[in-house]
Amino acid sequence: MGEKFATKSVHFTSKTSGEIASKVTPIYQTSAFKFNDLEDIERFYQGEKDYLYSRVGNPNTDELGSAVAQLEEAPAGIATSSGLSAILIGILSVTKAGDHVIASTDIYGGTYELFARELANFGIEVSFIDFTDQEAIKTGIQTNTKLLYSESITNPLLRVENMEQLVHLAKQNNLYTMIDNTFATPYLLQPYHSGIDLVVHSATKYLGGHSDVTAGVLVGDADLLAKAKTKVVNIGTTLSPFEAWLTCRGLKTLDVRMERQVKNAQALADAFVTHPAVSKVYYPTHASKKGNGAIVSIDLSGKCDIEKFFRSLDWVKIVPTLAGVETTVSYPRTTSHRALPIEVQEELAITEGLVRISVGIEDSADIIGAFEQAIIKAKYE
Ligand SMILES: Cc1ncc(COP(=O)(O)O)c(C=O)c1O
């Protein structure tokens, strides 16, 4: 499809069949597909029929994988049971026991846990390195290094990764690159275009957009994605048809949601920058031509009673996730980044006063007002 992003995001292929021409793809809520006879089953194995058993493939999960691939402008995509399973599948598609991965230090806490505690059980070694320091990455490359891993906009401090530089370094050293594009979404950034091999999403966040699904998506070249698909089937990290259907439904409003949320986030970040009770504002500049994302993190250390702040938020909900249509707040120190050792938290500036705000689609002045009144109530005299 040569159309623009907003058009593509509502017109991805509809998987309908038979005589009932539904406008929207039906939910194929089935664990398996039926066959007329043994020859008919054989047709599946010869590639003449698409579906056998839903862990192996389902029209709804396929639709989601290919829709996100279209939006990322990558050749292929698959949907998985969660963002973390998509990350694991991506890693296992390009590494094996004995290999080494270099990951950025400032990544989502759950990803850190997966890397720090689980990958060793697969025989895969991981080093965490500050990705703002190119020399440190170069020094960290070993003979068995296979992959450089980072996030396009990092969680929770919103550093924008220099993907061109990462790709350049990877090419020089014959390494794969993988980027978590959850915070940016393909609305803001398309890492595959920058030469990244594998792009991963927690579709639980903006792609779904309504905080009602847990899902992941991995996109990249067809050969890597074929390997990834085999891993999904063998390990069983399949996404359910209903969750895939809900995520596709959410995807159709990604463009309009992001446009509003990014605008609201910019307004909120601007209001915080000049606020005397906010020690630090984390919000990117020049992340993309369409704006800087819809997450704003602030540090209230030394200025506000953090417990009081969280209790004074009025209609803004405290939720340990992000990217829904409602504005929500989370506390990285005890939720998303709880797994990080305290010294790593301190090093990363995940302080006692750090608040991560996921900006929604409400009226911009109402959002700013809700935070201003909470800060007034929580401010130290
Ligand atoms: C940047 C990022 N990547 C991955 C994940 C994991 O996604 P999931 O919870 O869908 O497994 C999260 C979850 O918060 C995240 O913020």
Side-chain angles (χ1 to χ4, degrees):
M1 263 177 111
E3 287 80 8
K4 297 271 187 319
F5 189 87
T7 310
K8 282 194 294 193
S9 62
V10 282
H11 287 283
F12 45 83
T13 327
S14 185
K15 295 243 181 203
T16 49
S17 67
E19 285 172 9
I20 305 173
S22 64
K23 177 173 183 259
V24 173
T25 305
I27 308 171
Y28 291 88
Q29 191 68 31
T30 180
S31 62
F33 299 82
K34 63 182 180 186
F35 295 86
N36 298 327
D37 50 33
L38 296 183
E39 233 176 75
D40 201 22
I41 295 190
E42 197 50 34
R43 279 192 204 106
F44 170 80
Y45 290 100
Q46 298 309 321
E48 292 161 23
K49 288 196 102 161
D50 289 336
Y51 300 110
L52 174 84
Y53 183 65
S54 280
R55 175 168 51 76
V56 177
N58 174 285
N60 298 109
T61 55
D62 281 1
E63 181 169 83
L64 176 59
S66 82
V68 178
Q70 283 179 45
L71 296 182
E72 289 280 2
E73 297 188 16
I78 46 166
T80 69
S81 57
S82 68
L84 270 191
S85 70
I87 294 169
L88 175 63
I89 294 297
I91 300 275
L92 296 180
S93 304
V94 292
T95 60
K96 58 182 184 333
D99 287 343
H100 173 241
V101 173
I102 299 180
S104 170
T105 36
D106 53 342
I107 52 174
Y108 164 61
T111 309
Y112 175 87
E113 275 274 275
L114 168 68
F115 288 3
R117 306 200 200 293
E118 302 300 334
L119 287 188
N121 298 319
F122 291 83
I124 300 161
E125 186 197 347
V126 185
S127 304
F128 297 94
I129 292 180
D130 174 1
F131 270 30
T132 59
D133 185 347
Q134 282 278 300
E135 285 312 308
I137 308 179
K138 278 185 203 162
T139 312
I141 296 172
Q142 306 173 177
T143 50
N144 59 345
T145 306
K146 286 283 154 35
L147 173 70
L148 302 180
Y149 181 95
S150 187
E151 296 173 356
S152 50
I153 299 180
T154 64
N155 179 359
L157 297 178
L158 311 169
R159 180 180 65 82
V160 180
E161 186 57 82
N162 186 334
M163 291 190 273
E164 280 74 17
Q165 219 173 61
L166 211 61
V167 167
H168 183 69
L169 185 61
K171 288 217 166 104
Q172 279 179 334
N173 293 278
N174 207 17
L175 306 176
Y176 287 107
T177 46
M178 184 165 164
I179 284 285
D180 182 333
N181 200 31
T182 299
F183 274 29
T185 84
Y187 173 84
L188 290 178
L189 294 169
Q190 293 166 312
Y192 181 80
H193 268 302
S194 309
I196 297 293
D197 297 301
L198 286 169
V199 181
V200 70
H201 281 275
S202 169
T204 315
K205 308 297 173 344
Y206 292 106
L207 301 188
H210 295 76
S211 314
D212 50 11
V213 288
T214 298
V217 178
L218 181 72
V219 307
D221 279 340
D223 56 339
L224 278 185
L225 265 289
K227 278 190 198 163
K229 165 92 189 193
T230 306
K231 306 278 177 210
V232 169
V233 172
N234 290 345
I235 298 171
T237 55
T238 316
L239 182 64
S240 87
F242 182 50
E243 307 259 307
W245 184 89
L246 275 175
T247 312
C248 283
R249 180 183 150 114
L251 212 50
K252 292 179 188 176
T253 56
L254 178 67
D255 186 82
V256 286
R257 281 186 285 111
M258 285 304 284
E259 188 180 357
R260 170 73 77 90
Q261 286 174 265
V262 165
K263 216 164 113 207
N264 283 351
Q266 184 70 59
L268 185 65
D270 292 347
F272 283 143
V273 165
T274 50
H275 203 296
V278 178
S279 325
K280 192 155 183 169
V281 180
Y282 296 92
Y283 190 65
T285 50
H286 310 106
S288 107
K289 285 188 200 122
K290 288 184 183 167
N292 300 305
I295 307 290
V296 181
S297 292
I298 51 172
D299 197 332
L300 301 174
S301 299
K303 306 271 186 172
C304 290
D305 177 332
I306 199 73
E307 306 259 353
K308 216 167 178 183
F309 170 80
F310 273 96
R311 275 198 305 271
S312 310
L313 282 164
D314 199 6
W315 53 263
V316 176
K317 294 186 186 77
I318 305 167
V319 188
T321 187
L322 56 105
V325 288
E326 310 93 345
T327 297
T328 58
V329 289
S330 79
Y331 189 51
R333 188 154 241 208
T334 58
T335 57
S336 58
H337 292 71
R338 189 184 182 97
L340 268 60
I342 198 85
E343 59 286 359
V344 179
Q345 286 193 348
E346 290 292 332
E347 235 171 77
L348 294 175
I350 299 170
T351 62
E352 269 178 53
L354 188 73
V355 179
R356 191 187 67 195
I357 303 163
S358 171
V359 182
I361 62 171
E362 302 93 340
D363 180 86
S364 173
D366 286 342
I367 300 172
I368 295 170
F371 285 99
E372 275 180 347
Q373 63 81 33
I375 289 173
I376 288 169
K377 286 182 187 146
K379 201 163 63 157
Y380 293 129
E381 293 311 318

